[in-house]
Amino acid sequence: MRNKNARTVNNIWTGIFYGIAALVVALLVYLVVEIIAKGWGFWDPNFLFGKPSNTMAGGGIGPQLFNSFYMLVLTLIISIPLGLGAGIYLAEYAKQGRFLNFVRLCIETMASLPSIVVGLFGLLIFVTFSGWGYTLIGGALVITILNLPGLTRVCESAIASVPASVKEASLGLGATKWQTIVKVVIPSAIQQIITGIILTAGRIFGEAAALIYTAGLTTPMLNSNADLTSPVNPFNIFRPAETLAVHIWKLNSEGIVPDARLIATKSAAILIIMVLLFNIVARLVAKLLDSYFKGSTKTKKRKDVKSAA
């Protein structure tokens, strides 16, 4: 009788959890379909690569799209080494004690900071105090501050989840601790680390509040033939850079072009597509790296066939 009741309760809760999962998936699908439907026509090359217009209809988002990808690259270049390094330290080198507790408290505090507060901090340090003004590098640094706590915790959890027996086997074969971390631990945890990077990238694509105060609300007329130190060179990290998320906010709040709402919805659709594509590509890269580090099944079969022959 007890077993029957336990099975009934188990089936009920299993159904509830499946229902919650289905609801989450349905909500995500609804949001994606609704945004893409309202921004239909976003694939037009004139819109994707054209220049925006402040007064006339039919402007594009070319500079904002480039700025978003450039901001992504800059931020990941800064965030990944810092987040991975902090995760390695916390998981492999840090000893339990007051200092470690203080570090964890700092990480939790940083993770709970509102983006608008971090943006104002960036305005004070990276815009005013440094004398840089509104720049790409200022935006990348302030987004790094926002993403570093989450990326650190993901990297720490991924590295700590690698079985101790694997580490001991590497050390037993004569490898140093650093060689074990680089050649055994990180490859074993690569999929979870890339998951953290994906979450970081989503924050980069979608952040607006912090970038308004650091990267600015405008983009100069870009010219790839200009000198790298010129403010109109696309790759100059010390130039203002309005990202796509900031552009959407600007259009919805103070846009004066006749088709401001249409441009905003198309830009939102592009933003959703960018995030989805980045997630898919990152997952594929994670699987390929995991297969490379661990050895694919096909490679093992070929080696077994050759040894048998």
Side-chain angles (χ1 to χ4, degrees):
M1 188 68 179
R2 288 182 179 179
N3 291 335
K4 187 176 181 181
N5 291 335
R7 288 178 183 176
T8 303
V9 172
N10 180 67
N11 292 334
I12 291 172
W13 280 105
T14 301
I16 291 172
F17 289 133
Y18 271 110
I20 293 172
L23 181 63
V24 171
V25 173
L27 180 62
L28 176 62
V29 171
Y30 171 75
L31 289 173
V32 171
V33 171
E34 187 72 11
I35 292 172
I36 291 177
K38 288 186 176 180
W40 198 250
F42 58 84
W43 59 82
D44 184 1
N46 294 326
F47 175 72
L48 288 174
F49 306 110
K51 297 179 180 179
S53 174
N54 293 325
T55 56
M56 298 178 63
I61 58 167
Q64 288 79 14
L65 193 61
F66 175 80
N67 290 339
S68 296
F69 279 108
Y70 196 24
M71 184 73 73
L72 172 71
V73 173
L74 281 177
T75 308
L76 291 182
I77 288 174
I78 301 170
S79 300
I80 292 175
L82 292 176
L84 184 58
I88 290 172
Y89 169 76
L90 292 173
E92 296 292 332
Y93 291 98
K95 296 180 180 179
Q96 296 296 329
R98 293 182 179 179
F99 179 72
L100 180 59
N101 293 335
F102 175 72
V103 171
R104 293 192 185 281
L105 176 63
C106 292
I107 292 173
E108 296 297 329
T109 304
M110 287 179 63
S112 62
L113 289 175
S115 59
I116 190 74
V117 174
V118 179
L120 290 172
F121 170 79
L123 175 65
L124 177 65
I125 301 299
F126 305 129
V127 177
T128 305
F129 182 76
S130 65
W132 294 344
Y134 296 109
T135 58
L136 265 163
I137 188 64
L141 289 171
V142 81
I143 295 295
T144 298
I145 294 172
L146 284 170
N147 285 330
L148 196 56
L151 186 58
T152 298
R153 285 186 295 187
V154 171
C155 291
E156 179 191 0
S157 176
I159 293 169
S161 66
V162 177
S165 58
V166 176
K167 302 174 188 177
E168 291 170 358
S170 176
L171 294 171
L173 290 172
T176 63
K177 187 169 185 177
W178 179 247
Q179 288 174 330
T180 300
I181 291 171
V182 173
K183 296 185 178 181
V184 177
V185 176
I186 293 178
S188 300
I190 192 68
Q191 292 210 39
Q192 295 181 54
I193 292 172
I194 290 182
T195 299
I197 295 172
I198 291 172
L199 296 174
T200 300
R203 185 74 176 268
I204 298 166
F205 279 130
E207 185 56 51
L211 294 178
I212 290 171
Y213 295 105
T214 51
L217 292 168
T218 60
T219 297
M221 300 296 290
L222 301 179
N223 181 9
S224 57
N225 295 322
D227 188 77
L228 186 60
T229 58
S230 172
V232 298
N233 188 293
F235 298 99
N236 183 0
I237 60 175
F238 292 99
R239 66 167 178 85
E242 180 189 22
T243 62
L244 198 55
V246 174
H247 188 58
I248 294 170
W249 173 86
K250 185 178 176 181
L251 286 169
N252 284 318
S253 61
E254 53 186 45
I256 60 174
V257 292
D259 57 345
R261 185 57 59 88
L262 179 60
I263 295 175
T265 53
K266 286 184 177 181
S267 300
I270 291 293
L271 202 57
I272 288 288
I273 297 295
M274 285 166 56
V275 173
L276 289 175
L277 287 177
F278 184 84
N279 275 265
I280 293 169
V281 171
R283 292 291 182 187
L284 290 175
V285 170
K287 288 184 178 180
L288 290 174
L289 288 174
D290 190 59
S291 299
Y292 173 77
F293 287 128
K294 294 181 179 178
S296 63
T297 306
K298 291 182 180 180
T299 305
K300 288 181 179 178
K301 286 182 178 179
R302 287 175 185 174
K303 288 182 179 179
D304 292 341
V305 169
K306 287 182 180 179
S307 61

